[in-house]
Amino acid sequence: MLSAQAVELRDYHKAVIGNDCKACHDNGIKQFPSDQACLKCHNIEDLALKTARNDEDKWQNPHNNLHYGKELPCQECHGEHKAKQPLCSDCHTFKYDKHKE
Amino acid sequence: MTLDAGSEYHPYLQQLGGHSVARTYQTSVSCGAGITQPLLKECYRIGVQTHNRSKFEGFLLGEKGNVVGVKMRENYHFGEDQPGKVLNIRAKRGVIMATGGFAQNIDLRMAQDPTLTSEVGCTNIPGATGEGMLEMFRLGAVPVHLAHIQSGPWASPDEGGFGYVSNYSIYNFPHSIAVNCLTGKRFMNEIADRKTRADAELACRDAKGEPLPPILITSYKDSKQHPNTAKVIKYNVGWKFDTLETLAKHFDVPLKALEAQIKEYNGYVKTGDDKQFGKNMSKAKDKYLEAPFTVVRLWPKVHYCQGGVQVTTKAEVKDSLTGMPILGLYAAGEVCGGIHGVSRLGSCSIPECMVMGMTAARSIMNA
């Protein structure tokens, strides 16, 4: 039996996925999804454009950043059943106001 | 190699602490990404396969005790319960260990240097925990210099990792004072060696013995020469004050003692002789402390582990019992010991990673 926390969904995914666990869980229910699961619906190029910043701060773009480019796995910053902070916050105090935990 | 891969560097050399001449190239983005990102793209271009979410779980040994492969756990997420399957991966030529240092392993670093408690921060990524090194010790690798762990006295408790304050402080230490907030007084030579300064900072405590990070006070006219000054202020990990009164109030420092300390220190700037701590004042010449000031808080962070496994000049890992290379096992980078002795000079780690990384690759191809 899965814990109550394990079935918490973020509002957007609740609306479009509902109870279809396999939509993300391509490694079976008891494991994290693969890093490719998110990319079936979300496009990193589009996201990088959407979160682009001005020239001075351009490398603070979470989806195209200085240290990892566009290679950072989505699950490093986004968690479905448990809130996560941006990985950048490990070292920087940048603001990511639109980050959904 | 990095230039061929597309790295860009500032068109000038810098002289870091301990060096007799300027010899350090810095990437134009002033951080390691200026090297790692181009090299990663070059790997993709030439067909090197990289595998994320894979955790090293140990070695596979042949009948002669030689290394013939590794055990890797797949779908690994750092710090989470992991049901991912462990795969046995065969290595026909050998295994190169490039797993970095152990600065994030608090138990292990405290076993070597008891002052490095969890109170001491760390500039490293969370995965710098040293299991790769420990597994090599299981095979009999020789431990070298494990207790020599370098802490950065330039780091800030207000941001994680290396952040922006580190480079700001490194630039400003020569013409600044570090002040204990409890006393309003200096407590160290601001350009002494790293260990001396880190220990002095750790000793700054409040009345209850809790950590009380000291502050670095700099004249804005001097700090503004460095690009990180604008950044530390912008990201609220450094502060600018127009008067000493507002500074003292902000950090709850006794004002009279602080005023007296600054007056005393400016006397040393004038005479060139620091009678308090013996600081070499040549780089502080004519740089009197005066308002407006910029200030950052200081707290040491573990930065580099000089210790690791012993390797030959061909990057072969040596066995402690036989003194001979462990067949099939190579290592390069911070996971090795002995390269830097008891204290690494700034800018010597990246060249070591490059040179010994290439050496390990050549050795393995000739095995």
Side-chain angles (χ1 to χ4, degrees), chain A residues 7-64:
Chain A
V7 294
E8 288 292 326
L9 286 185
R10 294 186 294 171
D11 291 343
Y12 180 77
H13 284 165
K14 191 177 297 184
V16 299
I17 294 174
N19 290 330
D20 183 14
C21 306
K22 287 182 162 57
C24 300
H25 280 279
D26 54 357
N27 283 323
I29 299 301
K30 293 191 184 301
Q31 277 201 58
F32 284 89
S34 76
D35 288 331
Q36 285 68 52
C38 311
L39 304 178
K40 288 186 292 183
C41 299
H42 300 278
N43 180 276
I44 188 62
E45 302 291 337
D46 292 345
L47 288 167
L49 286 175
K50 197 172 295 186
T51 55
R53 297 198 169 188
N54 63 67
D55 196 64
E56 181 196 341
D57 298 334
K58 73 171 185 174
W59 286 124
Q60 287 175 30
N61 185 344
H63 299 111
N64 184 17

Side-chain angles (χ1 to χ4, degrees), chain B residues 29-310:
Chain B
V29 289
S30 298
C31 75
I35 292 173
T36 55
Q37 285 292 300
L39 287 182
L40 180 63
K41 290 178 172 59
E42 178 69 1
C43 284
Y44 292 158
R45 191 186 71 80
I46 64 180
V48 175
Q49 295 177 25
T50 64
H51 295 268
N52 287 339
R53 303 283 181 216
S54 297
K55 182 182 188 290
F56 170 75
E57 294 280 7
F59 293 105
L60 297 171
L61 300 180
E63 290 174 3
K64 302 172 184 172
N66 52 314
V67 173
V68 297
V70 292
K71 293 182 283 189
M72 301 297 295
R73 186 178 298 278
E74 55 178 9
N75 202 34
Y76 177 74
H77 281 238
F78 188 85
E80 302 282 351
D81 290 334
Q82 300 298 329
K85 182 166 46 166
V86 175
L87 305 177
N88 289 344
I89 310 287
R90 171 71 187 241
K92 291 175 183 171
R93 292 178 181 268
V95 172
I96 298 174
M97 295 298 282
T99 48
F102 59 91
Q104 287 277 20
N105 187 327
I106 295 176
D107 287 340
L108 181 56
R109 74 189 200 202
M110 282 187 67
Q112 314 306 317
D113 180 344
T115 69
L116 302 181
T117 67
S118 58
E119 282 179 349
V120 187
C122 185
T123 63
N124 289 207
I125 59 168
T129 46
E131 285 92 351
M133 177 185 73
L134 295 175
E135 289 289 345
M136 286 193 277
F137 289 153
R138 273 194 214 262
L139 297 189
V142 184
V144 177
H145 289 154
L146 290 185
H148 296 295
I149 300 171
Q150 202 164 63
S151 289
W154 23 252
S156 163
D158 298 308
E159 64 191 345
F162 196 76
Y164 288 124
V165 171
S166 304
N167 276 329
Y168 166 96
S169 303
I170 290 167
Y171 175 81
N172 286 301
F173 270 128
H175 48 258
S176 307
I177 58 172
V179 169
N180 183 322
C181 293
L182 190 63
T183 63
K185 294 293 189 185
R186 289 173 73 208
F187 58 95
M188 69 180 184
N189 169 356
E190 291 84 359
I191 55 176
D193 68 87
R194 275 183 283 235
K195 177 64 169 164
T196 299
R197 287 182 284 163
D199 287 346
E201 289 173 11
L202 281 174
C204 292
R205 303 277 153 163
D206 65 16
K208 287 178 286 184
E210 298 295 332
L212 185 62
I215 56 178
L216 188 70
I217 301 177
T218 315
S219 302
Y220 179 61
K221 69 182 189 333
D222 297 313
S223 67
K224 70 182 182 184
Q225 311 303 322
H226 195 273
N228 274 24
T229 298
K231 286 188 169 119
V232 300
I233 294 170
K234 176 177 179 179
Y235 295 113
N236 210 39
V237 293
W239 297 267
K240 183 164 178 274
F241 298 98
D242 288 331
T243 68
L244 197 60
E245 288 75 14
T246 52
L247 188 164
K249 187 171 183 179
H250 184 99
F251 293 104
D252 198 21
V253 180
L255 177 58
K256 278 185 164 55
L258 184 56
E259 282 172 337
Q261 174 65 83
I262 288 180
K263 185 175 181 182
E264 181 180 343
Y265 178 80
N266 281 338
Y268 304 146
V269 172
K270 185 175 182 181
T271 65
D273 180 14
D274 174 11
K275 292 191 184 302
Q276 240 180 330
F277 293 103
K279 179 178 182 177
N280 181 332
M281 302 297 287
S282 53
K283 286 189 176 173
K285 185 171 162 55
D286 295 327
K287 291 178 175 168
Y288 296 94
L289 282 180
E290 59 198 22
F293 304 99
T294 53
V295 179
V296 294
R297 298 205 299 163
L298 299 171
W299 197 251
K301 290 179 182 173
V302 182
H303 188 47
Y304 192 90
C305 299
Q306 273 80 244
V309 300
Q310 188 178 36

Side-chain angles (χ1 to χ4, degrees), chain B residues 329-350:
Chain B
L329 186 60
Y330 305 81
E334 196 175 331
V335 73
C336 303
I339 315 291
H340 303 284
V342 304
S343 183
R344 175 195 61 93
L345 295 186
S347 84
C348 287
S349 171
I350 291 175

